[in-house]
Amino acid sequence: MEGTNGQDGRRGPVRLRPYQQDAIARLRARVRAGVRRLIIVAPTGSGKTTIAAHVIAGAVARGSRVLFMAHRRELIHQAYGRLIDLGVPEASLGVLMGRDPRWRPGAPVQVASVDTLRHRARPLADIVFVDECHRATAKTYRDIADGYPDALHLGLTATPFRASGGGLGDVYDELLVVASPQELIDQGYLVAPRVFTVPEEDLPDLSGVRTRQGDYEPGALEAAVNRKGLVGNLVDHWTRHAKGVRTVAFAVSVAHSRHIAARFQEAGVAAEHLDGATPLAERDAILRRLDAGEITVVSNAMVLAEGWDQPAVKCAILARPTKSLGLYLQQAGRILRPWDDQQAIILDHGGCV
């Protein structure tokens, strides 16, 4: 999502789009009808956090207390900033995330990191939001949710199913579908990608890679894809179809991601790598350089598939084969926000499309 808008996530005044207004109206109607556990489903880039922030702002104005949970700091910053944009006073907003200085335990809205919240006293809440709620079946999320038996529980996701392909019906009761990707493309809020695949002989051999929890086993998958010829093909394919376009590459592992970045560098392309162990200040600096055009390619290992938004990045290299529809949609969706009339390009090297 909006990971490049500064630590507080602010973007300026928020004006709801028609489909967002319609979604909020339908949500309120379902709540009035007695629904207490509902998922708001909308494509990556559609503004799910804006919808949530508008609902939260209205709830606070009516005297309700709200807990908004997310698993990444970028999502915490984004939600906080969007609430400020919608006029919620900073004094009414608290952040529960490590040693974040915005800790205000008496504030009616708490924007919380799941990892932090599991070790802290639970704030009071009449409404509990879970961002990226396809994760809500995990024990940590369930334990937190169980502490709010009388609250209204609302989830946000583009992919309302587990990695294994199962549904979320044991956590939520209804889905509210905001809009389909095609509808938002037709309305100009997303861009249709141009997809380039490679011949079957240039795809990794996955015949010996087992499936675990609905997707390829990571260790064996890394061995299958982190090969000199396959990684070299990424660079050649990019040079033919997306040369000069700011790009994100999705790798299987840290070693695979570093290998991809190194091959781009050998080809004279300004490229960098980041992963979950990259210090936060360094990660932010890399993404700022990408946003400024100082580098062209950022390769990553399971960091930028969620909670990140840089509309100027208009090419995605899918170097990580996956059986997970959710992961594929998250990765591909990162480049679909309109920017400067540029075409979105997907280079599929995992047989995902």
Side-chain angles (χ1 to χ4, degrees):
M1 296 184 187
E2 285 72 26
T4 61
N5 299 310
Q7 180 172 340
D8 63 5
R10 301 185 193 188
R11 300 178 65 184
V14 175
R15 179 175 297 176
L16 290 177
R17 297 167 178 172
Y19 66 86
Q20 293 170 329
Q21 295 173 344
D22 174 70
I24 291 169
R26 288 189 285 130
L27 170 62
R28 288 173 173 160
R30 296 310 299 148
V31 172
R32 287 194 298 270
V35 178
R36 303 298 293 171
R37 295 176 177 270
L38 185 145
I39 303 176
I40 300 167
V41 181
T44 299
S46 62
K48 293 181 291 295
T49 305
T50 296
I51 293 172
H54 193 278
V55 172
I56 293 170
V60 171
R62 295 189 296 272
S64 295
R65 303 183 68 89
V66 182
L67 171 63
F68 183 99
M69 296 191 297
H71 71 294
R72 289 187 182 273
R73 70 184 185 109
E74 291 88 353
L75 301 176
I76 302 293
H77 296 328
Q78 179 192 10
Y80 183 93
R82 205 59 47 82
L83 287 161
I84 293 292
D85 294 341
L86 281 166
V88 178
E90 288 195 58
S92 296
L93 292 172
V95 173
L96 286 168
M97 181 173 60
R99 298 181 179 179
D100 194 290
R102 295 167 291 182
W103 181 65
R104 301 183 185 97
V109 180
Q110 296 294 322
V111 183
S113 160
V114 173
D115 284 341
T116 298
L117 190 58
R118 64 190 293 196
H119 300 297
R120 301 270 185 96
R122 308 283 162 78
L124 297 175
D126 305 297
I127 303 174
V128 176
F129 271 95
V130 176
D131 203 358
E132 307 292 358
C133 72
H134 47 274
R135 299 173 174 271
T137 58
K139 184 177 185 301
T140 299
Y141 286 81
R142 285 177 176 268
D143 289 346
I144 294 172
D146 287 347
Y148 299 94
D150 299 321
L152 172 64
H153 290 260
L154 300 174
L156 303 170
T157 186
T159 53
F161 38 80
R162 312 176 199 193
S164 63
L168 304 175
D170 50 350
V171 181
Y172 295 98
D173 296 327
E174 287 194 12
L175 298 179
L176 188 152
V177 178
V178 174
S180 70
Q182 190 58 56
E183 286 172 332
L184 298 188
I185 289 170
D186 292 343
Q187 295 172 33
Y189 295 114
L190 296 177
V191 295
R194 189 173 183 189
V195 180
F196 295 95
T197 59
V198 294
E200 186 173 350
E201 59 268 22
D202 290 335
L203 290 172
D205 179 6
L206 304 179
S207 59
V209 181
R210 295 183 177 181
T211 298
R212 189 177 71 189
Q213 295 181 333
D215 206 351
Y216 294 111
E217 193 280 315
L221 183 61
E222 178 186 6
V225 302
N226 195 17
R227 298 172 180 268
K228 183 176 180 180
L230 293 175
V231 175
N233 287 344
L234 298 179
V235 179
D236 294 341
H237 202 215
W238 180 86
T239 301
R240 290 198 303 274
H241 298 296
K243 185 176 182 179
V245 178
R246 275 172 277 190
T247 297
V248 58
F250 294 101
V252 171
S253 64
V254 172
H256 186 215
S257 178
R258 290 187 183 279
H259 189 181
I260 292 170
R263 290 303 297 267
F264 272 102
Q265 292 164 0
E266 292 168 6
V269 179
E272 297 192 50
H273 152 86
L274 58 82
D275 60 62
T278 305
L280 296 180
E282 183 180 346
R283 184 195 305 184
D284 289 344
I286 290 171
L287 294 177
R288 282 196 298 271
R289 289 194 287 273
L290 180 64
D291 204 47
E294 297 171 11
I295 59 177
T296 306
V297 176
V298 166
S299 184
N300 82 104
M302 297 305 292
V303 172
L304 301 180
E306 294 178 336
W308 169 68
D309 166 29
Q310 283 184 248
V313 177
K314 275 289 159 284
C315 175
I317 299 175
L318 306 184
R320 186 197 191 287
T322 181
K323 291 185 175 182
S324 168
L325 175 61
L327 179 58
Y328 162 69
L329 292 173
Q330 291 282 359
Q331 292 179 159
R334 303 263 70 91
I335 63 165
L336 301 186
R337 292 171 173 85
W339 187 80
D340 203 24
D341 293 326
Q342 279 203 16
Q343 174 75 59
I345 299 171
I346 293 174
L347 303 181
D348 180 18
H349 284 253
C352 300
V353 178

